[in-house]
């Protein structure tokens, strides 16, 4: 029998077989260190965090632990290894993130200590001579993806040894991201070492919003599906389950370039044609079909620059101006009274610029403004925006006074839950199994 979410406001709960923090024994936190996995995956531009929503969630969870007389030991990841959004907390951009988090906690009367050297490019270095962490303070270690063996055997074991060295007895899950990419056996071994496991308050709220999205099956009119890659067609085909007939999914530039310009993508597109009515720039959605819109893309002739680094143009295509106008005129214009839109990511790459310094923001700006116009015209319509770039773009170019916008910081997690249920969230099963030990 499938386990259901218990959404009990202001009461202790068990969600997906794992308790919330309020359900743990009242004296559990004072016993030792509390390990807290959070989402630190924010971007830095011109010396500032572009959207601190994920840091705000981390602050909420840290404050809750300290309120319960716990000592939080915090970590997370920032960006993908080898990608432009990767940030080492020991770098200048990392210092910006640390300072932002410190300032937010300082306003709550909490001091954050950054433990430089515990995690670095040489690996994980256990804190010597046992715990020396003071009660009432919060502690942060480096981006775990800095580790050279992050996605290889042994990472979970080394990280588990670090947790044992600091006497961490509680694991609080404040992010759905896995510990590493090395498989369930080591992940489960890591989780079983803790005395208590629980969901963080910020995750409880996001799970509830995920459930709200899932309950709205066959009710979404337009979905923007943007990201850097498309591993399989299932997520697009399954997203069809939340569309109304006549609804449209339009993809971002990277996925469009993949589907149109690579052999693997063309093969996927042939498979997708069995499930969708394919739209190209200028086409009108079929009101009786499920539509998949693929915009035209263009690469800058000299590639692009991210943080001053030149990257080959194949990695950073942008949607064309004509495609932007088409999406506005033929797709976004279909949003009417009571309609819902789900926005994931941005259609182009906001952090990229040409050699002349011209950015790719303009098309994204036009699309967000068009969505805001529809929401203004139809106050009973609604927008749910998920991930990092999507919410940040809406906040930057949109109208934050609208009450019919729901922000979700969980990356692709809500899409995985909507399309695959609990099976799309490996940490859910891992936490349940560990709690049943």
């Amino acid at each position: 029998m499938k386990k259901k979410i218990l959404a009990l406001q202001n009461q202790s709960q068990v969600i997906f077989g794992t308790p919330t923090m309020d359900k743990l024994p009242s004296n559990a936190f004072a016993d030792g260190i509390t390990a807290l996995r959070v989402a630190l995956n924010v971007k830095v531009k011109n010396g500032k965090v572009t959207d601190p929503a994920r840091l705000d969630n981390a602050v909420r969870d840290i404050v809750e632990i300290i309120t319960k007389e716990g000592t939080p030991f915090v970590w997370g990841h920032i960006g993908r290894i080898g990608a432009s959004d990767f940030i080492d907390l020991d770098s200048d951009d990392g210092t910006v993130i640390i300072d932002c988090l410190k300032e937010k906690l300082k306003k709550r009367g909490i001091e954050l200590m950054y433990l430089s050297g515990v995690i670095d490019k040489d690996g994980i270095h256990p804190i010597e001579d046992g715990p020396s962490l003071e009660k009432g303070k919060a502690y942060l270690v480096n981006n775990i993806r800095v580790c050279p063996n992050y996605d290889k055997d042994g990472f979970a074991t080394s990280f588990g040894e670090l947790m044992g060295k600091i006497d961490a007895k509680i694991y609080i899950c404040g992010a759905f991201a896995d510990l590493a990419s090395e498989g369930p056996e080591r992940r489960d071994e890591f989780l079983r070492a803790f005395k208590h496991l629980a969901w963080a308050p910020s995750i409880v709220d996001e799970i509830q919003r995920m459930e709200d999205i899932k309950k709205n099956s066959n009710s979404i009119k337009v979905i923007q599906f943007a990201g850097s890659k498309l591993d399989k067609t299932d997520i697009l085909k399954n997203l069809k389950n939340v569309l109304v007939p006549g609804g449209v999914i339009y993809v971002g530039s990277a996925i469009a370039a993949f589907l149109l310009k690579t052999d693997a993508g063309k093969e996927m597109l042939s498979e997708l044609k069995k499930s969708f009515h394919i739209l190209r720039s200028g086409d009108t959605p079929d009101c009786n079909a499920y539509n998949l819109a693929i915009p035209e893309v263009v690469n800058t002739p000299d590639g692009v620059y991210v943080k001053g680094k030149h990257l080959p143009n194949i990695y950073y295509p942008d949607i064309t101006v004509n495609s932007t106008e088409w999406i506005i005129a033929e797709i976004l214009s279909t949003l009417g009274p009571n309609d819902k839109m789900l926005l994931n990511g941005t259609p182009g790459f906001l952090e990229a610029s040409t050699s002349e310094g011209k950015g790719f923001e303009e098309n994204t700006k036009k699309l967000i403004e068009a969505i805001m116009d529809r929401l203004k015209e139809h106050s009973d319509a609604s927008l749910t925006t998920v991930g990092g770039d999507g919410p940040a773009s809406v906040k930057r170019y949109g109208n934050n006074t609208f009450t019919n916008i729901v922000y979700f910081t969980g990356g692709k997690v809500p899409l995985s839950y909507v399309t695959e249920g609990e099976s799309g969230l490996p940490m859910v099963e891992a936490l349940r199994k560990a709690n049943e030990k």
Side-chain angles (χ1 to χ4, degrees):
M1 180 177 176
K2 188 174 180 180
K3 301 188 180 189
K4 296 182 179 180
I5 291 179
L6 302 180
L8 308 177
Q9 294 295 327
N10 302 317
Q11 296 183 42
S12 297
Q13 325 172 38
V14 174
I15 300 175
F16 296 138
T18 298
T20 61
M21 279 178 58
D22 285 345
K23 199 168 180 63
L24 298 185
S26 58
N27 61 349
F29 292 88
D31 254 352
I33 305 301
T34 298
L36 173 63
R37 173 69 156 95
V38 297
L40 296 174
N41 205 16
V42 297
K43 292 187 176 181
V44 174
K45 187 174 183 179
N46 299 325
K48 292 184 178 180
V49 173
T50 58
D51 180 12
R54 285 171 169 162
L55 299 186
D56 290 335
N57 281 346
V59 167
R60 178 184 176 186
D61 297 338
I62 290 169
V63 169
E64 187 70 17
I65 290 169
I66 287 183
T67 300
K68 294 179 179 297
E69 300 188 355
T71 303
F73 185 90
V74 186
W75 77 91
H77 74 265
I78 308 112
R80 304 171 189 86
I81 300 170
S84 61
D85 58 351
F86 179 79
I87 296 178
D88 184 334
L89 287 181
D90 287 330
S91 69
D92 290 343
D93 283 349
T95 300
V96 172
I97 294 174
I98 295 168
D99 288 347
C100 181
L101 192 55
K102 279 185 175 181
E103 187 61 30
K104 288 177 177 293
L105 285 167
K106 184 178 179 181
K107 291 177 180 178
R108 306 297 295 271
I110 297 170
E111 184 178 4
L112 175 69
M113 308 295 293
Y114 175 58
L115 302 178
S116 180
V118 174
I119 294 178
D120 59 26
K121 295 176 181 178
D122 293 324
I124 298 174
H125 310 286
I127 298 173
E128 298 299 329
D129 303 321
S132 57
L133 310 181
E134 295 180 40
K135 195 170 184 178
K137 294 182 179 180
Y139 295 85
L140 173 69
V141 293
N142 202 354
N143 177 0
I144 56 175
R145 289 184 174 174
V146 167
C147 265
N149 68 335
Y150 169 76
D151 57 352
K152 298 179 175 62
D153 288 348
F155 179 87
T157 300
S158 297
F159 205 70
E161 290 172 354
L162 172 62
M163 295 294 106
K165 193 73 174 178
I166 63 172
D167 194 28
K169 296 180 179 178
I170 301 175
Y171 176 88
I172 301 297
C173 186
F176 278 106
D178 207 343
L179 175 67
S181 306
E182 57 182 26
E185 294 82 7
R186 296 187 186 278
R187 176 191 60 209
D188 295 348
E189 177 185 354
F190 171 78
L191 292 173
R192 283 195 299 270
F194 293 94
K195 185 176 180 181
H196 301 287
L197 303 118
W199 295 113
S202 61
I203 284 289
V204 173
D205 287 350
E206 299 221 328
I207 289 173
Q208 183 59 64
R209 288 198 287 272
M210 282 164 47
E211 186 69 0
D212 290 342
I213 294 173
K214 193 172 182 181
K215 286 178 180 176
N216 287 324
S217 293
N218 300 111
S219 66
I220 298 177
K221 189 67 172 287
V222 177
I223 297 175
Q224 174 182 287
F225 183 79
S228 59
K229 61 182 179 179
L230 182 66
D231 295 327
K232 53 186 179 180
T233 60
D234 288 356
I235 190 165
L236 287 176
K237 289 191 291 186
N238 290 337
L239 275 175
K240 187 178 75 171
N241 296 331
V242 301
L243 279 180
V244 297
V248 183
I249 299 174
Y250 71 90
V251 299
S253 59
I255 294 174
F258 170 72
L259 292 172
L260 297 175
K261 298 178 180 295
T262 69
D263 291 340
K266 291 174 183 177
E267 187 175 333
M268 280 193 186
L269 184 56
S270 295
E271 184 181 344
L272 289 166
K273 286 179 180 179
K274 300 173 185 177
S275 302
F276 291 97
H277 175 63
I278 304 298
L279 303 177
R280 299 301 309 279
S281 188
D283 292 344
T284 299
D286 185 334
C287 62
N288 296 311
Y290 297 99
N291 301 275
L292 178 63
I294 306 174
E296 300 296 330
V297 295
V298 61
N299 290 320
T300 55
D302 60 348
V304 300
Y305 294 79
V306 176
K307 298 180 180 178
K309 181 181 178 182
H310 181 264
L311 299 175
N313 56 7
I314 189 173
Y315 293 110
Y316 285 87
D318 194 23
I319 61 174
T320 64
V321 174
N322 286 341
S323 284
T324 300
E325 294 173 349
W326 164 61
I327 291 170
I328 292 171
E330 296 289 349
I331 298 175
L332 297 182
S333 64
T334 65
L335 287 167
N338 295 308
D339 282 340
K340 299 178 178 67
M341 178 175 181
L342 176 62
L343 187 149
N344 170 60
T346 57
F349 289 85
L350 301 184
E351 66 268 36
S353 64
T354 65
S355 57
E356 292 80 24
K358 183 180 179 181
F360 287 170
E361 296 95 341
E362 192 59 31
N363 288 327
T364 295
K365 182 174 182 288
K366 288 179 180 178
L367 289 171
I368 297 298
E369 289 175 343
I371 294 168
M372 295 301 108
D373 287 343
R374 301 307 293 174
L375 294 181
K376 183 177 180 180
E377 183 177 350
H378 303 289
S379 59
D380 49 359
S382 64
L383 169 69
T384 296
T385 174
V386 305
D389 287 332
S393 298
V394 172
K395 291 174 184 176
R396 182 176 181 182
Y397 304 122
N399 186 335
N400 293 323
T401 64
F402 285 164
T403 58
N404 49 348
I405 301 178
V406 177
Y407 295 98
F408 191 104
T409 63
K412 293 180 180 177
V413 168
L415 300 186
S416 297
Y417 183 63
V418 166
T419 58
E420 302 174 60
E422 294 180 37
S423 63
L425 307 176
M427 280 301 292
V428 166
E429 181 62 21
L431 286 166
R432 178 188 289 127
K433 283 171 61 178
N435 263 305
E436 292 172 351
K437 66 180 185 294

